[in-house]
Amino acid sequence: MSLKTEKIWFDGEMVRWEDAKVHVLAHALHYGTAYFEGIRCYALADGRSAVFRLDEHIRRFADSGKILGFPLPYTVEQMRQATLEVVRANHLKECYIRPLAFVGLGEMGLYAPKNPVNVCIAVWPWGAYLGDEGLQNGIRAKVSSYTRHHVNVMMTKSKASGNYINSVLAKTEVKNAGYDEAIMLDAEGYVAEASGENIFLVRDRRVKTTPLTSILPGITRDSIITIARDKGYELVEERFTRDELYTADEAFFTGTAAELTPIREIDDRPIGAGRRGPVTADLQQTFFDVIKGKNERYATWLAYL
Ligand code: PPE
């Protein structure tokens, strides 16, 4: 993956990629006082490009700032326009988009209310996050020894940069042990989410995902819930335990980067037949049609360039 492109939107200006720099004493580098988004722009079947669920991502971006108490210094409409502009400025038909807001240079120390909140939006080409093979055949996941955030330790509805130390620890732990992705349990021991994805299971064609209590409210999760219900699947948002995952017929992750990735194995136990199951394949097919603009029903989820 190369992060090098032409332009980055930075504090209201379109700057050269090389010039989008910050000072080493910026508050966020020291304390993790930043929040971000992950959005995808897709090349559509008809040759156009569209950003997937842009409004929902920008809204969550603003919500993150509100939760943390470092509000976004731009309106939602300004951020929306800036996102579309930076994609256009880089002449990419398809890319990952990373808005980031961070507490910048000013005072040092934890209480720095006068420091500026700087905002940038970068884009780069990013293929299948968990591999093309993973999208087809499923990946191997392991439950991490690290607990996911307790709701009153970190606020999980904010996509706060600081929250991701926990994800990095979990992901590194399981990658070093030879697995592809980390599943994390909440402080009470129930399944929460993965290091960078939400999680679903299927048993007897009933689809289940964790409630929003202690997870990031994933926009892909929301899309899959909507698609599954529209297709007539019974879908519940309910707590479940790791043994329920072991005995599921199918399981999968959802996320902007990971899209819809089947899980073929958890903690060395094959899930169902040990490969992508029929419900997963069905939802994945519809999801891919939707993001490629091949399904009229969800056309409002696309913001054309
Ligand atoms: N939970 C977590 C912890 C998470 O980071 C993500 C996205 C999700 C759930 C799914 O949310 P959504 O993208 O709205 O469906 N993770 C982002 C960052 C990945 C990275 O490695 O960076 C992403 O997928 O863009």
Side-chain angles (χ1 to χ4, degrees), residues 40 42 196-198 218-221 253-261 287:
R40 274 191 191 268
Y42 289 101
E197 299 90 19
N198 295 121
I219 290 160
T220 321
R221 173 189 180 279
F253 291 129
T254 63
T256 299
E259 300 172 311
L260 195 162
T261 301
F287 180 71

Side-chain angles (χ1 to χ4, degrees), residues 275-286:
R275 60 180 128 83
R276 176 173 64 185
V279 176
T280 306
D282 184 28
L283 294 172
Q284 197 185 37
Q285 184 58 51
T286 304

Side-chain angles (χ1 to χ4, degrees), residues 47-65:
R48 290 187 290 176
S49 289
V51 177
F52 185 63
R53 303 202 72 178
L54 175 60
D55 292 354
E56 290 84 351
H57 280 283
I58 299 296
R59 185 173 184 197
R60 188 174 66 187
F61 193 42
D63 286 348
S64 288

Side-chain angles (χ1 to χ4, degrees), residues 36-40 52 57 60 96-98 124 126 129 148-149 156 159 163-164 167 171 181 184 192-199 215-223 254-259:
F36 65 96
E37 266 309 314
I39 314 174
R40 274 191 191 268
F52 185 63
H57 280 283
R60 188 174 66 187
Y96 184 82
I97 308 167
R98 171 56 57 85
W124 61 83
W126 208 358
Y129 185 64
R148 194 62 180 148
H149 301 301
T156 61
K159 204 167 163 64
N163 285 3
Y164 281 82
S167 288
K171 178 87 177 190
E181 186 52 284
M184 308 193 66
E193 59 184 336
S195 71
E197 299 90 19
N198 295 121
I199 187 166
I215 60 170
L216 184 77
I219 290 160
T220 321
R221 173 189 180 279
D222 179 76
S223 308
T254 63
T256 299
E259 300 172 311

